[in-house]
Amino acid sequence: MGWQYSEKTKRLFMDAVQGKSGTHVGELENADGVGEHGSVACGDALKFMFRVERNEEDPTRDRIVEAKFLTFGCTSAIAASEALCRIIEERGLTPIEALKVTNQDIVDYLEGLPTQKIHCSVMGAEALETAVFDWASKRGVDMAALGIKQANVDEHEGRLICKCFGITEPYLRRKIKELSLKTVDDVTGAIKAGGACGTCRGEIQDVLNEIWAAQSCGCESNKGANDETSTCPTGVDSAKASEAPAATTETPTANALPSLTTVVANKSGEYVEQPQLNASENGVDRSAEYASASPYKRAKLIEETVETEIRPVLRRDGGDLEIVDVKDNLVYVSLTGACESCDSASTTIELLVAAVLQSRLDPSIEVISL
């Protein structure tokens, strides 16, 4: 299987999409707090809402009694959103107490998430924070007086680093420090930055080097997520600082067309070159055609790309792939043959199937293995 989900994750996902009693998919009219994070254009979007039981004497003691969500995204996004609602209701939290719910709490509740899907839990925590500050505004609660600052305010105004997913430098810096992200792959797994065309991975590595080098030398200038002066005043070369994480060898990215399928993972999990698997030499960029196509034509373009560029590679090793469904830019697939039980199935999905579709058609295409 492409993604190894826990049984609880799969159960919460299925219960939510089937609308079973006690689940939380839906709109909450006249919600006391509403927060959104992500965008449909970037492939994942979440709208989180809650209603409180008001405390007429002290609004900070309002208690959340109902939570709902609307999610555009994959299995992990739906399951993580459902988990967030359940955590808050089951614990009987006030909005201010709910701010302490982290993305790790969501991951733990789901009994784990694949590394590449951690960003779904981060999305829930961000939407929750926005919803709490919306509630505070409506109830006249002075969050600043309580010593609580909204972390994600105005972060959309910073320099855009990842254009594919709309990730700005202030937001990137905050999440690197909050989640202790050490490598570019850590960043991609947590907030998706660098996971599509890949052109920003070098910039992400520069920010990582700068942040961790500054911390190792005691530099205080990186403390603020929105701090413009983020260079190290002691003159430490962040790229050479001994405490800074070393730049990792980059795996193929979707914009590097000549090498999309020339690198695979062997049984030891190491990436090795296999030039005979190069299926990209005759590849055609059809992104303009895809962008103006109808939903039906988009599905056909996906099928054609799989047939001409992806399936031949899989069949050379005794594997194959079945397209189960296509919904907008979500492509549901099932690996068959030798690929079905392969230890590198998730790598095949990421570095071959998703990478080819993203580079040929649209960077926001997401491949979900069933």
Side-chain angles (χ1 to χ4, degrees), residues 135-353:
W135 158 84
S137 175
K138 293 173 180 176
R139 287 288 275 151
V141 175
D142 188 346
M143 300 292 272
L146 297 174
I148 303 172
K149 180 181 178 182
Q150 187 170 1
N152 59 16
V153 67
D154 295 331
E155 287 182 339
H156 63 281
E157 297 178 357
R159 180 171 69 93
L160 192 62
I161 286 188
C162 180
K163 296 180 180 179
C164 296
F165 296 111
I167 304 298
T168 64
E169 183 176 0
Y171 178 74
L172 173 64
R173 287 181 176 278
R174 175 167 67 87
K175 299 316 291 186
I176 286 174
K177 287 180 279 188
E178 279 185 1
L179 305 177
S180 192
L181 307 176
K182 302 294 185 180
T183 69
V184 176
D185 287 338
D186 288 345
V187 171
T188 300
I191 60 175
K192 300 183 73 171
C197 76
T199 57
C200 63
R201 291 174 72 88
E203 288 187 80
I204 294 172
Q205 184 65 59
D206 289 343
V207 174
L208 284 164
N209 289 342
E210 187 177 293
I211 288 174
W212 297 122
Q215 285 203 6
S216 70
C217 71
C219 171
E220 299 297 315
S221 60
N222 273 304
K223 282 189 174 181
N226 298 312
D227 193 341
E228 296 291 334
T229 59
S230 55
T231 57
C232 178
T234 62
V236 174
D237 183 346
S238 61
K240 297 179 180 179
S242 59
E243 288 353 286
T248 57
T249 302
E250 299 294 343
T251 56
T253 56
N255 69 312
L257 300 185
S259 60
L260 274 177
T261 58
T262 61
V263 178
V264 297
N266 61 21
K267 292 182 179 180
S268 300
E270 301 171 323
Y271 289 106
V272 296
E273 291 189 3
Q274 287 191 348
Q276 70 272 21
L277 295 186
N278 191 347
S280 59
E281 292 176 351
N282 300 319
V284 178
D285 183 352
R286 306 181 72 177
S287 56
E289 183 181 358
Y290 185 86
S292 60
S294 65
Y296 172 78
K297 179 60 177 176
R298 286 188 172 192
K300 296 300 292 183
L301 287 170
I302 290 172
E303 291 175 4
E304 291 170 13
T305 304
V306 168
E307 186 64 35
T308 59
E309 295 197 55
I310 298 172
R311 183 163 281 127
V313 178
L314 299 177
R315 285 177 174 172
R316 287 172 195 165
D317 280 342
D320 209 336
L321 173 137
E322 175 188 355
I323 297 178
V324 179
D325 197 6
V326 177
K327 295 181 179 178
D328 298 317
N329 276 1
L330 296 178
V331 182
Y332 296 84
V333 302
S334 176
L335 292 174
T336 60
C339 291
E340 184 177 7
S341 57
C342 177
D343 292 337
S344 300
S346 61
T347 302
T348 300
I349 292 293
E350 179 184 359
L351 297 187
L352 174 61
V353 184

